[in-house]
C-alpha cells in the first residue's frame, strides 16, 4: 500500500545551467534521472548533490537581508517550490508531479562561489533553511512548472492516517 501524501506547494519555476560557465536559464520542464540529477544540467546525472530545491516563501527574506531584489536563480537552485519553507521536510520523500520522487538528504549550505556572483548572498542564505535542500532522485521522470509537490506521510506500525 502506498503512503498518503500531503500537498506542500507547486513547482513555480525550474532553472538549469546548460553548460559549464554559462548562466542559469529558466525552463518549463526537466528530466530527473534515478540516483542522478537533471539530465539537461551541465553536471547532469553525475551531479553529486542531485537536485536542489528552494522555498519561494523564504526568498523575500533573503532579498531583505541583501537590501535589494535579486532573482531566485542567484541561489543557483534547480527548482523553486511555492511553499513557505522546506527544512522541515529534510529526510522525507517529496513527490513531484505524477512520477518523480526525491529524498531530501541535505540542507543546502551556501558556498563562496555564490558570494563571488552575488555579493552578500552568502550571509543572506546563512539562516537555517534559507539555502534550500539537496535531494537524491529516488524515482526519475519529467518535472514541469505547475506540478504539484507532496511530501509522503510516513506512518509508524499500528498507526493510521
Amino acid at each position: 500500500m502506498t503512503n498518503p501524501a500531503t500537498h506542500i506547494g507547486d513547482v513555480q519555476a525550474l532553472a538549469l545551467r546548460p553548460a559549464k560557465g554559462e548562466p542559469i536559464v529558466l525552463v518549463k520542464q526537466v528530466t530527473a534521472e534515478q540516483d542522478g540529477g537533471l539530465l539537461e544540467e551541465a553536471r547532469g546525472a553525475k551531479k553529486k548533490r542531485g537536485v536542489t530545491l528552494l522555498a519561494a516563501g523564504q526568498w523575500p527574506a533573503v532579498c531583505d537581508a541583501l537590501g535589494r531584489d535579486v532573482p531566485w536563480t542567484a541561489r543557483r537552485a534547480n527548482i523553486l517550490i511555492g511553499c513557505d519553507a522546506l527544512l522541515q521536510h529534510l529526510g522525507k520523500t517529496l513527490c513531484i508531479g505524477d512520477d518523480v520522487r526525491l529524498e531530501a538528504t541535505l540542507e543546502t549550505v551556501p558556498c563562496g562561489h555564490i558570494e563571488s556572483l552575488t555579493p552578500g548572498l552568502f550571509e543572506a542564505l546563512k539562516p537555517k533553511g534559507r539555502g534550500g535542500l539537496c535531494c537524491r532522485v529516488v524515482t526519475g521522470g519529467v518535472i514541469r512548472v505547475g506540478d504539484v509537490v507532496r511530501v509522503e506521510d510516513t506512518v509508524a506500525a499500528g498507526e493510521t492516517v
Side-chain angles (χ1 to χ4, degrees):
M1 180 176 152
T2 304
N3 285 336
T6 303
H7 178 267
I8 62 167
D10 61 343
V11 175
Q12 290 190 341
L14 297 164
L16 298 168
R17 185 177 60 152
K20 189 174 179 175
E22 289 190 17
I24 299 289
V25 295
L26 294 175
V27 295
K28 293 188 187 286
Q29 73 177 37
V30 293
T31 306
E33 184 173 67
Q34 184 174 340
D35 292 323
L38 301 178
L39 294 181
E40 301 86 353
E41 175 81 20
R43 291 172 283 184
K46 294 177 175 69
K47 188 164 97 166
K48 193 173 168 183
R49 292 170 16 157
V51 177
T52 53
L53 311 179
L54 187 66
Q58 291 188 302
W59 197 249
V62 172
C63 292
D64 286 347
L66 284 168
R68 65 189 188 278
D69 286 336
V70 295
W72 73 275
T73 54
R75 171 44 204 90
R76 304 179 67 76
N78 300 120
I79 305 174
L80 183 66
I81 306 293
C83 65
D84 291 334
L86 288 166
L87 192 57
Q88 71 271 27
H89 303 302
L90 184 62
K92 297 179 182 175
T93 299
L94 303 175
C95 306
I96 302 180
D98 295 329
D99 302 317
V100 177
R101 293 175 67 240
L102 305 175
E103 177 188 9
T105 55
L106 298 167
E107 178 182 356
T108 307
V109 178
C111 67
H113 182 63
I114 284 176
E115 183 66 20
S116 69
L117 297 172
T118 307
L121 188 54
F122 182 85
E123 287 298 320
L125 288 171
K126 274 190 172 178
K128 204 128 180 90
R130 278 193 189 167
L133 295 175
C134 295
C135 299
R136 180 179 74 85
V137 180
V138 176
T139 305
V142 176
I143 300 171
R144 295 173 183 84
V145 171
D147 277 351
V148 170
V149 181
R150 303 168 317 280
V151 62
E152 281 187 357
D153 295 326
T154 54
V155 180
E159 289 185 28
T160 59
V161 180

